[in-house]
Amino acid sequence: MNVEHYADAAISKIAAAIGEPARARMLYCLMDGHARTSTELSVVAEVSPATASVHLNRLRMERLVKVQAQGKHRFYSLDGLEVAGALEGLSVLAGGTRSKFVPSTPSRLRAARTCYDHLAGAVGVSLHDRFQALGWISAGAKDRAGAYELTIGGTRAFEALGIDIEMTRALRRRFACACLDWSERRPHVGGALGAAILKLALKRKWVVQDLDSRALGITNYGRREILNRFGLRV
Amino acid sequence: MNVEHYADAAISKIAAAIGEPARARMLYCLMDGHARTSTELSVVAEVSPATASVHLNRLRMERLVKVQAQGKHRFYSLDGLEVAGALEGLSVLAGGTRSKFVPSTPSRLRAARTCYDHLAGAVGVSLHDRFQALGWISAGAKDRAGAYELTIGGTRAFEALGIDIEMTRALRRRFACACLDWSERRPHVGGALGAAILKLALKRKWVVQDLDSRALGITNYGRREILNRFGLRV
DNA sequence: GGAACGATTCGTTTATGGTCAAAGTATGAA
DNA sequence: TTCATACTTTGACCATAAACGAATCGTTCC
């Protein structure tokens, strides 16, 4: 086996991994920072699940994506910010001066949107910051990067809003974690707690879901509620 | 013809262009910022001139390199800093943390080296600045970007050093131009005059050439001469 | 246990694209 | 003009890898 150890060879392998339409579509889709299953990505890439699996395996070999098993699902996501950085470098070339991939999405996506199953966009980030400022959540232990602990006050507050924390904790997934929002470049609340918050916001009609996109519309009622309850003007 | 107009498609085409070993070698080689002929690049890429030509044509289509015809030579160089930026983004992934392409070249390259057929590196840049300060060369007309004019004093001075200016002018190539030095990020003297200066420096044994690289060694004699003649400590 | 589902592996087909020899074009030198 | 050099284009060949159906593996839910 001929081991290549020159930088240009390493670059070419990585670029080749990106340079296949189906794989590029997957990576581009994952640039919003959240994980997706191989089936979801096969739809995005417009290939069969079998083909998507092969592609994802290759991307994993090249350290472009990482995978996290969760029950019978396997969630794929970009393996680090450097990967997003490299993709952005390429997109600068791709788009000429009109780069900036995220702003190319409708601007309403920036205000509020779903990120897999939780609340993202400017609203998601604002809430995240507010929850921290109010002392409802706090950064978890060092060894569990990005995880959040719920404080006693936070538990009471979320319960008061109508979220069943005990049941949320019982779900087989990370309870609460920092999910990096690519357009905002700042984290919002992900995990089971994030999902519960989105569910609540939808149930209470603070936001309404766009059927064929990840965009969320904030209702006037929701705007008032968020201002009153969290002191946030959105 | 199905026109793709999504960013992921554009990214994949560009990444595919980079993701071929021979092309990656060419691009990586051009990251030092100076232009090379297709023949030179065919050696770097370890393919035949014909194959190199095909590759370079594709890189040109993707706006990764640009070409500048000069007599029967065609000089290829990276098409803009964005390209170097994108390549660096990839090299971060490729090399882990050991990226930084330019500093990876031996530090002696920074002192003095050849740039195609003329003198580059810190010494080349210093001399360029000194020639301007002494009023030997001056920036040419606006419409000939990067070209230099030789002043009357400069003509006398170079003639006194032993450079046949009339003959140098007769060569079918740009007489004198600013050649951007990637490691220094500042220009040195290129063109026929630059080549004549290097030839002189080699003939007078101010510098000696490393056989298997572009590095130049400055002799003690050369150090003294450059100090005496130009007032430069190198 | 077994049914249902998600995901991966295997085997085969197909096509894209890298390769170079040879011919062609363009420029410079004698 | 003629030759030499630098480079590109063309055409034919071949290897790599992308694609999918079918079979398999692994997990969850009755």
Side-chain angles (χ1 to χ4, degrees), chain B residues 15-179:
Chain B
I18 303 171
E20 200 283 326
R23 288 195 292 261
R25 280 193 288 270
M26 291 178 175
L27 291 170
Y28 196 78
C29 169
L30 289 173
M31 278 177 82
D32 67 358
H34 81 254
R36 290 182 177 78
T37 65
S38 74
T39 314
E40 288 175 311
L41 289 168
S42 78
V43 174
V44 171
E46 298 171 26
V47 290
S48 72
T51 304
S53 191
V54 176
H55 284 316
L56 286 166
N57 197 39
R58 170 143 182 206
L59 291 176
R60 206 159 54 81
M61 291 295 99
E62 299 294 342
R63 303 277 160 112
L64 292 172
V65 303
K66 60 178 191 283
V67 65
Q68 189 180 354
Q70 210 169 92
K72 59 183 174 181
H73 294 281
R74 300 192 71 194
F75 290 91
Y76 289 89
S77 56
L78 294 191
D79 192 356
L81 279 178
E82 302 81 15
V83 178
L87 291 171
E88 187 173 12
L90 289 171
S91 75
V92 169
L93 300 180
T97 54
R98 65 187 141 84
S99 66
K100 298 197 293 179
F101 49 92
V102 171
S104 72
T105 57
S107 62
R108 43 202 276 273
L109 263 191
R110 301 202 49 162
R113 64 164 189 274
T114 55
C115 174
Y116 186 48
D117 65 355
H118 51 271
L119 192 62
V123 174
V125 171
S126 295
L127 283 174
H128 164 272
D129 293 350
R130 196 75 188 133
F131 293 156
Q132 276 200 314
L134 291 167
W136 293 7
I137 60 175
S138 65
K142 281 257 169 74
D143 59 330
R144 300 200 303 141
Y148 288 116
E149 307 285 358
L150 198 55
T151 62
I152 298 177
T155 307
R156 253 202 308 271
F158 282 120
E159 293 274 10
L161 284 170
I163 294 174
D164 187 335
I165 293 297
E166 199 179 341
M167 205 180 78
T168 305
R169 276 196 197 282
L171 295 174
R172 300 225 181 169
R173 61 184 289 194
R174 294 181 87 175
F175 174 64
C177 61
C179 178

Side-chain angles (χ1 to χ4, degrees), chain A residues 33-51:
Chain A
H34 81 253
R36 287 183 180 79
T37 65
S38 74
T39 315
E40 287 175 311
L41 289 168
S42 78
V43 174
V44 171
E46 297 171 26
V47 291
S48 71
T51 305

